[in-house]
Amino acid sequence: MRKLLQIALFTILIILINTTTYAQNKKLSVEDQLIQDSIYKSNKKKVLNFSMKDFDALFFEYFNRKNDPNVVLTKKDFYNYTVQIAAFSDRLSSLYPDQKEVASQNKEQWLSESYEDYLQYKASQKK
């Protein structure tokens, strides 16, 4: 009985976390969406041919530059990284069809990254 209660509470917690996470997705401005679309179209073919080594290099380069207090990415550079990381989810969903939903959620999460939020993060880094 106690185990069943723990499982039920855990399930409710997971549902609440997922609901909260989805509720926090913000809509990007039209300008940002146009930048993302342009980057996606121009890089899709290249990213779909990435190896895991290429993807890891891109991913770590992004986080190193994002977390470097002496570097502030331009809007285009920021979206170049996030859109390419998102586009790699298309490759993963084609390689692992059983993980298609997870890849789709991951892609949406990366495409919802906001440059304004990034700038706020950079400002908080300097404090």
Side-chain angles (χ1 to χ4, degrees):
M1 181 68 173
R2 185 173 181 202
K3 190 74 165 170
L4 186 60
L5 183 61
Q6 288 176 333
I7 292 171
L9 288 174
F10 181 73
T11 304
I12 291 169
L13 180 63
I14 295 297
I15 291 170
L16 289 174
I17 289 171
N18 283 339
T19 304
T20 303
T21 303
Y22 286 119
Q24 290 179 355
N25 282 348
K26 299 180 202 171
K27 286 287 186 186
L28 297 177
S29 70
V30 173
E31 177 190 352
D32 289 358
Q33 288 178 346
L34 289 173
I35 292 170
Q36 281 186 333
D37 289 344
S38 171
I39 292 170
Y40 187 82
K41 288 176 185 172
S42 65
N43 286 291
K44 183 178 180 182
K45 200 173 243 183
K46 176 180 88 170
V47 173
L48 290 177
N49 290 317
F50 271 7
S51 67
M52 278 306 287
K53 185 177 181 178
D54 295 330
F55 175 73
D56 287 345
L58 173 73
F59 192 77
F60 287 117
E61 179 182 340
Y62 167 68
F63 275 101
N64 287 335
R65 293 192 68 198
K66 179 183 177 187
N67 293 321
D68 185 341
N70 300 317
V71 174
V72 176
L73 297 170
T74 64
K75 185 181 274 195
K76 186 167 180 157
D77 287 340
F78 173 80
Y79 284 124
N80 195 38
Y81 283 115
T82 58
V83 169
Q84 286 187 67
I85 292 168
F88 192 73
S89 295
D90 291 337
R91 177 171 168 78
L92 293 178
S93 68
S94 66
L95 290 174
Y96 306 103
D98 59 323
Q99 296 294 316
K100 195 174 238 171
E101 187 175 326
V102 172
S104 176
Q105 290 172 352
N106 189 40
K107 180 179 179 180
E108 289 304 315
Q109 180 183 354
W110 280 103
L111 290 176
S112 69
E113 291 286 318
S114 162
Y115 185 69
E116 287 73 26
D117 290 344
Y118 164 73
L119 291 177
Q120 288 176 355
Y121 168 75
K122 291 308 270 186
S124 72
Q125 251 186 345
K126 295 184 180 192
K127 291 180 182 178

